[in-house]
Amino acid sequence: MGVARLALAVLAAGAVVTLLVIGGRALFGSFAATPPERERASAVTPGPAAETTARVPTVHIECLADTCPIVTVRVPGGDVLQYREMSRGEEVSYYEPELDVVLSDAGTVRVNENGKPREQGKAGAREAFTVKAPGG
């Protein structure tokens, strides 16, 4: 009777260890995944030939200050794509058909809507707006 209990305890411990290993691999695998296509920090400006064939983002945001307070970008009624501060020179582009954007300090960022510059906001002013892709 003691041997059966010991065998059952070893079997249960082995099952727990197996589940922990599988869960750990899945968790670390999700951290190592590449960022989604919808958010790309672009540091390279394309040349004239590339501009004619490149997709134009629905919204492109560039941080101009040392730290740009919370910048929020989300799909209306759906996923939050960004909710964080940005650093000087950091740029993000999103290509969804419609996006809601909230800038905690509109004077710290440069925004392009469908490739066209949006008027610069006032320093310290909160600004919220919706951007729709052409034909969207």
Side-chain angles (χ1 to χ4, degrees):
M1 184 104 121
V3 174
R5 285 185 181 170
L6 182 61
L8 188 57
V10 169
L11 188 63
V16 168
V17 168
T18 301
L19 289 174
L20 287 173
V21 168
I22 292 171
R25 289 186 67 185
L27 181 64
F28 288 118
S30 68
F31 288 138
T34 58
E37 174 66 23
R38 60 184 167 205
E39 180 179 349
R40 284 190 301 172
S42 83
V44 179
T45 305
E51 287 178 9
T52 58
T53 59
R55 279 186 2 185
V56 176
T58 306
V59 70
H60 176 83
I61 302 169
E62 178 184 2
C63 179
L64 303 174
D66 287 334
T67 301
C68 297
I70 301 293
V71 175
T72 306
V73 181
R74 71 179 191 93
V75 176
D79 294 337
V80 175
L81 306 177
Q82 176 172 316
Y83 179 78
R84 63 182 176 84
E85 292 182 343
M86 294 175 65
S87 307
R88 180 182 297 276
E90 184 178 355
E91 299 178 29
V92 292
S93 296
Y94 298 97
Y95 297 87
E96 280 67 22
E98 184 175 355
L99 295 164
D100 289 334
V101 179
V102 179
L103 308 171
S104 297
D105 185 347
T108 61
V109 295
R110 178 182 303 139
V111 179
N112 288 330
E113 296 178 358
N114 300 306
K116 297 177 185 149
R118 179 179 173 85
E119 187 176 323
Q120 184 74 29
K122 294 182 181 177
R126 179 183 183 276
E127 204 170 294
F129 54 93
T130 299
V131 181
K132 292 184 180 184

